[in-house]
Protein backbone atom coordinates (compact mmCIF):
# COMPACT_ATOMS: atom_id res chain seq x y z
CA UNK A 1 0.00 0.00 0.00
CA UNK A 2 1.32 3.43 -0.93
CA UNK A 3 1.76 6.00 1.83
CA UNK A 4 0.36 9.49 1.52
CA UNK A 5 3.14 12.12 1.41
CA UNK A 6 3.16 15.22 3.58
CA UNK A 7 3.10 18.64 1.96
CA UNK A 8 6.51 19.32 0.39
CA UNK A 9 7.75 15.77 0.93
CA UNK A 10 7.58 12.68 -1.29
CA UNK A 11 5.90 9.49 -0.10
CA UNK A 12 8.43 7.55 2.05
CA UNK A 13 8.23 4.48 -0.20
CA UNK A 14 8.60 6.32 -3.51
CA UNK A 15 11.67 5.64 -5.66
CA UNK A 16 13.60 8.18 -7.70
CA UNK A 17 15.24 7.19 -10.98
CA UNK A 18 18.73 8.64 -11.38
CA UNK A 19 21.22 8.40 -14.24
CA UNK A 20 24.95 8.76 -13.65
CA UNK A 21 27.99 8.45 -15.91
CA UNK A 22 30.74 6.02 -14.97
CA UNK A 23 33.86 4.79 -16.74
CA UNK A 24 33.59 1.34 -18.28
CA UNK A 25 37.00 -0.33 -18.35
CA UNK A 26 35.69 -3.02 -20.71
CA UNK A 27 34.75 -0.49 -23.40
CA UNK A 28 37.13 2.34 -22.37
CA UNK A 29 34.21 4.74 -22.59
CA UNK A 30 31.80 6.68 -20.40
CA UNK A 31 28.43 5.02 -20.00
CA UNK A 32 25.22 5.72 -18.10
CA UNK A 33 24.13 3.71 -15.08
CA UNK A 34 20.48 3.90 -13.98
CA UNK A 35 19.43 3.36 -10.36
CA UNK A 36 16.17 3.75 -8.48
CA UNK A 37 16.62 4.92 -4.91
CA UNK A 38 14.40 6.05 -2.04
CA UNK A 39 14.89 9.47 -0.46
CA UNK A 40 16.16 9.01 3.13
CA UNK A 41 14.43 11.20 5.74
CA UNK A 42 17.37 13.58 6.22
CA UNK A 43 18.35 13.90 2.56
CA UNK A 44 17.40 16.01 -0.43
CA UNK A 45 17.00 15.11 -4.09
CA UNK A 46 18.97 17.48 -6.34
CA UNK A 47 18.50 17.67 -10.10
CA UNK A 48 22.02 18.34 -11.36
CA UNK A 49 22.75 21.24 -13.70
CA UNK A 50 26.57 21.50 -13.47
CA UNK A 51 29.56 19.55 -12.22
CA UNK A 52 33.22 20.36 -11.94
CA UNK A 53 35.76 17.77 -13.03
CA UNK A 54 38.65 17.21 -10.65
CA UNK A 55 41.82 15.10 -10.72
CA UNK A 56 40.23 13.03 -7.96
CA UNK A 57 37.80 11.89 -10.66
CA UNK A 58 40.80 10.61 -12.63
CA UNK A 59 41.94 8.57 -9.62
CA UNK A 60 38.38 7.24 -9.14
CA UNK A 61 37.71 6.18 -12.73
CA UNK A 62 39.07 2.62 -12.42
CA UNK A 63 36.74 1.89 -9.48
CA UNK A 64 33.67 2.07 -11.71
CA UNK A 65 31.88 4.47 -9.37
CA UNK A 66 29.47 7.16 -10.49
CA UNK A 67 31.76 10.06 -11.43
CA UNK A 68 31.75 13.67 -10.27
CA UNK A 69 31.76 15.31 -6.83
CA UNK A 70 31.56 19.05 -7.53
CA UNK A 71 27.83 19.19 -8.12
CA UNK A 72 25.41 22.07 -8.51
CA UNK A 73 21.68 21.69 -9.01
CA UNK A 74 18.15 22.48 -7.97
CA UNK A 75 16.38 20.79 -5.06
CA UNK A 76 13.37 18.84 -6.33
CA UNK A 77 12.38 16.89 -3.21
CA UNK A 78 13.08 17.14 0.51
CA UNK A 79 13.18 14.24 2.98
CA UNK A 80 10.63 14.33 5.77
CA UNK A 81 13.38 14.53 8.42
CA UNK A 82 15.13 17.62 7.00
CA UNK A 83 14.87 20.54 9.41
CA UNK A 84 12.10 22.99 8.61
CA UNK A 85 13.40 25.83 6.44
CA UNK A 86 16.79 24.20 5.80
CA UNK A 87 16.00 23.37 2.17
CA UNK A 88 12.95 23.56 -0.04
CA UNK A 89 12.18 22.60 -3.64
CA UNK A 90 13.62 25.17 -6.03
CA UNK A 91 16.66 26.01 -3.90
CA UNK A 92 19.99 26.09 -5.76
CA UNK A 93 22.53 24.00 -3.89
CA UNK A 94 25.91 22.36 -4.25
CA UNK A 95 27.82 19.47 -2.72
CA UNK A 96 31.42 18.36 -2.61
CA UNK A 97 33.62 15.34 -1.93
CA UNK A 98 32.45 14.54 1.61
CA UNK A 99 29.14 12.67 1.90
CA UNK A 100 28.93 11.52 5.50
CA UNK A 101 30.58 11.26 8.92
CA UNK A 102 29.54 9.79 12.27
CA UNK A 103 28.43 13.19 13.59
CA UNK A 104 29.13 12.50 17.26
CA UNK A 105 32.86 11.85 17.75
CA UNK A 106 35.20 14.50 19.13
CA UNK A 107 36.42 15.36 15.64
CA UNK A 108 32.90 15.86 14.26
CA UNK A 109 31.70 17.82 17.29
CA UNK A 110 34.73 20.12 17.04
CA UNK A 111 33.67 21.00 13.47
CA UNK A 112 36.28 19.02 11.53
CA UNK A 113 34.08 16.19 10.31
CA UNK A 114 36.30 15.69 7.25
CA UNK A 115 38.83 14.01 9.57
CA UNK A 116 36.30 11.71 11.26
CA UNK A 117 37.47 8.07 11.18
CA UNK A 118 34.07 7.16 9.75
CA UNK A 119 34.01 9.97 7.16
CA UNK A 120 33.07 8.79 3.69
CA UNK A 121 33.30 10.67 0.45
CA UNK A 122 33.02 10.41 -3.29
CA UNK A 123 33.98 6.97 -4.65
CA UNK A 124 33.75 5.47 -1.13
CA UNK A 125 30.00 5.79 -0.45
CA UNK A 126 26.88 5.82 -2.63
CA UNK A 127 29.11 4.60 -5.46
CA UNK A 128 26.22 4.38 -7.93
CA UNK A 129 25.68 8.13 -7.75
CA UNK A 130 27.80 11.06 -8.88
CA UNK A 131 27.56 14.62 -10.15
CA UNK A 132 27.98 13.55 -13.79
CA UNK A 133 24.31 12.84 -14.35
CA UNK A 134 20.79 14.15 -13.97
CA UNK A 135 20.46 14.00 -10.20
CA UNK A 136 21.79 12.92 -6.86
CA UNK A 137 20.45 12.22 -3.37
CA UNK A 138 22.50 14.26 -0.88
CA UNK A 139 22.50 14.23 2.92
CA UNK A 140 21.15 17.67 3.82
CA UNK A 141 24.01 18.28 6.26
CA UNK A 142 26.46 17.99 3.36
CA UNK A 143 24.67 20.33 0.95
CA UNK A 144 25.21 24.08 0.66
CA UNK A 145 23.06 26.96 -0.54
CA UNK A 146 24.69 28.81 -3.44
CA UNK A 147 24.68 32.63 -3.11
CA UNK A 148 22.71 34.47 -5.79
CA UNK A 149 25.84 36.32 -6.93
CA UNK A 150 27.75 33.13 -7.82
CA UNK A 151 26.91 31.62 -11.22
CA UNK A 152 26.42 27.84 -11.24
CA UNK A 153 29.31 27.22 -13.65
CA UNK A 154 31.63 29.09 -11.28
CA UNK A 155 30.12 27.53 -8.15
CA UNK A 156 30.86 23.96 -9.29
CA UNK A 157 34.68 24.14 -8.89
CA UNK A 158 34.22 25.90 -5.55
CA UNK A 159 32.57 22.77 -4.12
CA UNK A 160 35.90 20.92 -3.91
CA UNK A 161 38.87 22.93 -5.18
CA UNK A 162 37.68 26.30 -3.86
CA UNK A 163 36.64 24.90 -0.49
CA UNK A 164 39.91 22.98 -0.17
CA UNK A 165 42.19 25.96 -0.75
CA UNK A 166 40.10 28.17 1.54
CA UNK A 167 40.36 25.51 4.26
CA UNK A 168 44.13 25.25 3.73
CA UNK A 169 44.63 29.00 3.99
CA UNK A 170 42.56 29.05 7.17
CA UNK A 171 44.37 26.04 8.66
CA UNK A 172 47.68 27.87 8.13
CA UNK A 173 46.36 30.96 9.90
CA UNK A 174 46.84 33.10 6.80
CA UNK A 175 46.54 36.86 7.30
CA UNK A 176 46.63 39.77 4.88
CA UNK A 177 50.27 40.63 5.70
CA UNK A 178 51.46 37.12 4.79
CA UNK A 179 53.16 36.09 1.59
CA UNK A 180 51.52 32.96 0.16
CA UNK A 181 53.43 30.54 -2.05
CA UNK A 182 51.47 28.25 -4.35
CA UNK A 183 53.21 25.17 -5.76
CA UNK A 184 51.48 24.15 -8.98
CA UNK A 185 49.33 26.43 -11.11
CA UNK A 186 46.46 24.11 -11.99
CA UNK A 187 42.88 23.59 -10.88
CA UNK A 188 43.69 23.97 -7.19
CA UNK A 189 46.63 26.30 -7.56
CA UNK A 190 44.97 28.98 -9.66
CA UNK A 191 42.12 29.14 -7.11
CA UNK A 192 44.62 29.40 -4.29
CA UNK A 193 46.04 32.48 -6.02
CA UNK A 194 42.56 34.01 -6.41
CA UNK A 195 41.62 33.45 -2.76
CA UNK A 196 44.99 34.58 -1.37
CA UNK A 197 44.90 37.78 -3.42
CA UNK A 198 41.33 38.46 -2.26
CA UNK A 199 42.61 38.13 1.31
CA UNK A 200 45.14 40.86 0.58
CA UNK A 201 48.20 38.61 0.47
CA UNK A 202 51.20 38.82 -1.78
CA UNK A 203 51.54 35.64 -3.86
CA UNK A 204 54.47 33.71 -5.32
CA UNK A 205 53.72 30.88 -7.77
CA UNK A 206 56.06 27.90 -8.12
CA UNK A 207 55.41 26.25 -11.50
CA UNK A 208 57.11 23.49 -13.47
CA UNK A 209 55.44 24.39 -16.77
CA UNK A 210 57.03 27.73 -17.47
CA UNK A 211 57.75 26.66 -21.04
CA UNK A 212 54.05 27.17 -21.81
CA UNK A 213 53.83 30.62 -23.32
CA UNK A 214 50.63 31.52 -21.47
CA UNK A 215 51.78 30.64 -17.95
CA UNK A 216 53.59 33.88 -17.11
CA UNK A 217 50.74 35.90 -18.56
CA UNK A 218 48.20 33.85 -16.57
CA UNK A 219 50.14 34.35 -13.34
CA UNK A 220 49.95 38.10 -13.85
CA UNK A 221 46.25 38.08 -14.76
CA UNK A 222 45.43 36.01 -11.70
CA UNK A 223 47.10 38.63 -9.54
CA UNK A 224 50.25 36.82 -8.40
CA UNK A 225 53.39 38.90 -7.96
CA UNK A 226 56.27 36.50 -8.60
CA UNK A 227 56.81 33.17 -10.33
CA UNK A 228 59.53 30.63 -9.63
CA UNK A 229 60.52 28.13 -12.33
CA UNK A 230 60.39 24.80 -10.48
CA UNK A 231 62.33 22.97 -13.19
CA UNK A 232 65.18 25.43 -12.92
CA UNK A 233 64.98 25.20 -9.13
CA UNK A 234 65.11 21.40 -9.04
CA UNK A 235 68.16 21.38 -11.34
CA UNK A 236 70.00 24.32 -9.80
CA UNK A 237 72.23 23.80 -6.74
CA UNK A 238 72.77 27.54 -6.24
CA UNK A 239 71.12 28.43 -2.87
CA UNK A 240 71.29 32.13 -3.80
CA UNK A 241 68.42 31.72 -6.27
CA UNK A 242 65.97 32.14 -3.39
CA UNK A 243 67.40 35.61 -2.69
CA UNK A 244 65.79 36.83 -5.92
CA UNK A 245 62.32 36.42 -4.36
CA UNK A 246 60.40 37.60 -1.31
CA UNK A 247 60.16 35.12 1.53
CA UNK A 248 56.99 33.03 1.81
CA UNK A 249 55.01 32.69 5.07
CA UNK A 250 52.47 30.11 3.89
CA UNK A 251 53.31 27.52 1.23
CA UNK A 252 50.45 25.50 -0.30
CA UNK A 253 51.48 22.31 -2.12
CA UNK A 254 48.76 21.96 -4.78
CA UNK A 255 50.75 20.15 -7.51
CA UNK A 256 50.01 16.54 -8.49
CA UNK A 257 53.16 15.46 -6.64
CA UNK A 258 55.15 17.01 -3.80
CA UNK A 259 58.41 18.44 -5.18
CA UNK A 260 61.78 18.27 -3.45
CA UNK A 261 61.03 20.21 -0.26
CA UNK A 262 64.74 20.75 0.46
CA UNK A 263 64.85 23.04 -2.57
CA UNK A 264 61.87 25.05 -1.29
CA UNK A 265 63.06 25.69 2.27
CA UNK A 266 65.33 28.63 1.31
CA UNK A 267 62.25 30.46 -0.05
CA UNK A 268 60.47 30.36 3.31
CA UNK A 269 60.29 33.10 5.91
CA UNK A 270 61.05 32.22 9.51
CA UNK A 271 58.25 30.21 11.18
CA UNK A 272 56.59 29.49 7.86
CA UNK A 273 53.80 26.94 7.41
CA UNK A 274 53.85 24.29 4.67
CA UNK A 275 50.41 22.88 3.85
CA UNK A 276 50.26 19.50 2.11
CA UNK A 277 47.24 19.24 -0.20
CA UNK A 278 48.55 16.74 -2.75
CA UNK A 279 47.09 13.22 -2.91
CA UNK A 280 49.95 10.74 -3.40
CA UNK A 281 51.29 7.44 -2.05
CA UNK A 282 54.98 8.39 -2.05
CA UNK A 283 56.78 9.41 1.12
CA UNK A 284 58.32 12.86 1.50
CA UNK A 285 61.67 13.89 2.93
CA UNK A 286 62.63 17.12 4.73
CA UNK A 287 66.10 18.15 5.98
CA UNK A 288 65.73 18.09 9.76
CA UNK A 289 67.85 21.06 10.87
CA UNK A 290 66.83 23.25 7.94
CA UNK A 291 63.23 22.70 8.92
CA UNK A 292 63.49 22.85 12.72
CA UNK A 293 65.86 25.78 13.30
CA UNK A 294 63.66 28.36 11.48
CA UNK A 295 60.62 27.06 13.41
CA UNK A 296 58.62 25.89 10.38
CA UNK A 297 55.35 23.93 10.57
CA UNK A 298 54.18 21.11 8.31
CA UNK A 299 50.43 20.47 8.29
CA UNK A 300 47.93 18.58 6.16
CA UNK A 301 44.65 19.89 4.82
CA UNK A 302 42.01 18.11 2.78
CA UNK A 303 38.27 18.74 2.52
CA UNK A 304 36.75 21.85 4.14
CA UNK A 305 34.77 21.88 7.36
CA UNK A 306 31.10 22.81 6.98
CA UNK A 307 31.76 26.20 8.58
CA UNK A 308 34.62 26.99 6.19
CA UNK A 309 32.63 25.73 3.21
CA UNK A 310 29.91 28.23 4.06
CA UNK A 311 32.45 30.98 4.72
CA UNK A 312 34.16 30.22 1.43
CA UNK A 313 30.94 30.66 -0.54
CA UNK A 314 30.18 33.95 1.20
CA UNK A 315 33.78 35.13 0.63
CA UNK A 316 33.70 34.16 -3.05
CA UNK A 317 30.40 36.00 -3.49
CA UNK A 318 31.63 39.14 -1.71
CA UNK A 319 34.92 39.28 -3.61
CA UNK A 320 33.49 38.15 -6.97
CA UNK A 321 35.91 35.23 -7.19
CA UNK A 322 35.43 33.37 -10.46
CA UNK A 323 37.47 30.23 -11.20
CA UNK A 324 38.92 30.09 -14.69
CA UNK A 325 36.86 27.43 -16.40
CA UNK A 326 36.37 25.54 -19.63
CA UNK A 327 32.85 24.19 -20.17
CA UNK A 328 31.78 20.91 -21.77
CA UNK A 329 28.39 19.28 -22.40
CA UNK A 330 27.45 16.68 -19.81
CA UNK A 331 27.32 13.74 -22.20
CA UNK A 332 29.69 10.88 -23.04
CA UNK A 333 31.55 12.91 -25.67
CA UNK A 334 31.90 15.99 -23.49
CA UNK A 335 33.13 13.93 -20.54
CA UNK A 336 35.68 12.17 -22.73
CA UNK A 337 37.08 15.46 -24.04
CA UNK A 338 37.16 16.98 -20.54
CA UNK A 339 39.02 14.01 -19.06
CA UNK A 340 41.49 14.01 -21.95
CA UNK A 341 42.34 17.69 -21.43
CA UNK A 342 42.62 17.22 -17.67
CA UNK A 343 44.83 14.12 -17.82
CA UNK A 344 47.11 15.72 -20.43
CA UNK A 345 47.59 18.87 -18.36
CA UNK A 346 45.78 21.03 -20.94
CA UNK A 347 42.86 22.25 -18.81
CA UNK A 348 42.91 25.99 -18.22
CA UNK A 349 42.23 25.70 -15.35
CA UNK A 350 39.06 23.89 -14.23
CA UNK A 351 36.61 21.90 -16.33
CA UNK A 352 32.86 22.21 -15.82
CA UNK A 353 30.24 19.88 -17.31
CA UNK A 354 26.93 21.58 -18.08
CA UNK A 355 23.49 20.04 -18.48
CA UNK A 356 21.59 23.29 -19.01
CA UNK A 357 23.74 24.85 -21.74
CA UNK A 358 24.97 23.81 -25.17
CA UNK A 359 28.55 24.39 -24.10
Amino acid sequence: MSHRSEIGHPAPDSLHKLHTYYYSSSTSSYEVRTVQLPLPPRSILVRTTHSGICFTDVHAKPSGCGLGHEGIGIVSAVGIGVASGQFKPGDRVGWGWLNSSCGHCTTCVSGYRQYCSDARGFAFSDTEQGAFGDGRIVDAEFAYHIPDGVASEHAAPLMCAGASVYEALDAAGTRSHHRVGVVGLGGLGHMAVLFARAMGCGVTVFSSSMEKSSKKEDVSKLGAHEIVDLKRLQADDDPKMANEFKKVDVLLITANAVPNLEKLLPFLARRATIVLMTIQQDTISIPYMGFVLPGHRLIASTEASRENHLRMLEFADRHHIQPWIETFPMNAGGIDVAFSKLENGEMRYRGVLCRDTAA
Side-chain angles (χ1 to χ4, degrees):
M1 182 176 69
S2 177
H3 297 276
R4 180 186 293 268
S5 62
E6 296 190 11
I7 295 175
H9 302 285
D13 60 353
S14 61
L15 296 177
H16 303 273
K17 184 180 288 188
L18 303 172
H19 306 87
T20 304
Y21 282 94
Y22 71 102
Y23 179 73
S24 171
S25 57
S26 61
T27 64
S28 299
S29 63
Y30 301 93
E31 301 178 2
V32 174
R33 177 186 293 122
T34 302
V35 295
Q36 295 192 74
L37 300 170
L39 181 63
R42 296 184 180 179
S43 296
I44 58 176
L45 174 62
V46 184
R47 291 302 177 186
T48 308
T49 62
H50 298 76
S51 176
I53 178 170
C54 171
F55 219 89
T56 301
D57 295 304
V58 176
H59 297 313
K61 278 201 311 180
S63 73
C65 68
L67 294 168
H69 62 281
E70 293 184 329
I72 302 293
I74 306 299
V75 176
S76 64
V78 178
I80 198 167
V82 175
S84 178
Q86 186 177 5
F87 293 104
K88 65 182 186 302
D91 285 350
R92 189 169 59 116
V93 301
W95 70 93
W97 183 89
L98 190 64
N99 294 330
S100 66
S101 70
C102 80
H104 54 75
C105 68
T106 302
T107 304
C108 285
V109 171
S110 67
Y112 292 96
R113 61 190 186 181
Q114 69 270 38
Y115 301 119
C116 170
S117 60
D118 290 329
R120 295 293 180 270
F122 161 70
F124 294 95
S125 63
D126 296 330
T127 55
E128 299 95 345
Q129 301 185 78
F132 296 1
D134 61 2
R136 195 193 193 289
I137 291 172
V138 184
D139 185 321
E141 291 303 309
F142 294 84
Y144 307 92
H145 287 279
I146 304 302
D148 291 341
V150 180
S152 293
E153 62 266 26
H154 293 133
L158 297 179
M159 293 299 101
C160 177
S164 296
V165 297
Y166 188 90
E167 177 76 27
L169 290 165
D170 179 71
T174 308
R175 298 294 181 266
S176 59
H177 63 278
H178 286 152
R179 186 85 174 187
V180 173
V182 178
V183 179
L185 191 68
L188 276 176
H190 95 284
M191 259 187 274
V193 176
L194 292 173
F195 275 100
R197 288 295 296 121
M199 292 176 178
C201 301
V203 178
T204 300
V205 170
F206 296 77
S207 174
S208 60
S209 53
M210 290 299 297
E211 70 279 2
K212 295 183 179 180
S213 59
S214 64
K215 267 296 169 75
K216 286 187 177 181
E217 184 179 348
D218 288 351
V219 167
S220 178
K221 288 181 178 178
L222 287 164
H225 300 89
E226 295 181 321
I227 185 166
V228 178
D229 187 340
L230 265 183
K231 285 187 175 179
R232 175 192 165 198
L233 177 62
Q234 299 293 332
D236 194 344
D237 291 328
D238 183 6
K240 295 181 180 179
M241 179 180 173
N243 296 333
E244 303 172 18
F245 302 90
K246 292 187 177 179
K247 299 296 184 181
V248 169
D249 302 286
V250 175
L251 185 69
L252 305 188
I253 310 294
T254 71
N256 289 333
V258 178
N260 183 348
L261 293 179
E262 182 176 5
K263 298 281 189 174
L264 293 174
L265 292 184
F267 290 83
L268 302 183
R270 311 298 281 187
R271 303 184 70 240
T273 300
I274 302 172
V275 188
L276 299 176
M277 301 182 67
T278 298
I279 302 299
Q280 67 175 43
Q281 298 296 323
D282 297 336
T283 59
I284 61 173
S285 176
I286 303 177
Y288 185 82
M289 296 304 289
F291 180 81
V292 170
L293 291 181
H296 297 324
R297 290 193 306 155
L298 179 68
I299 64 174
S301 185
T302 58
E303 179 78 2
S305 65
R306 179 169 181 82
E307 182 178 6
N308 269 340
H309 204 124
L310 293 168
R311 286 180 175 175
M312 178 275 300
L313 286 169
E314 188 276 333
F315 187 87
D317 184 26
R318 177 157 37 95
H319 291 276
H320 308 292
I321 293 175
Q322 295 184 352
W324 288 21
I325 63 172
E326 294 186 48
T327 58
F328 307 85
M330 195 182 291
N331 55 39
I335 294 171
D336 187 43
V337 172
F339 266 115
S340 177
K341 294 199 73 169
L342 179 61
E343 294 177 54
N344 290 323
E346 298 170 354
M347 192 74 76
R348 195 168 167 264
Y349 280 97
R350 203 72 177 180
V352 177
L353 300 167
C354 308
R355 281 182 53 81
D356 62 345
T357 72

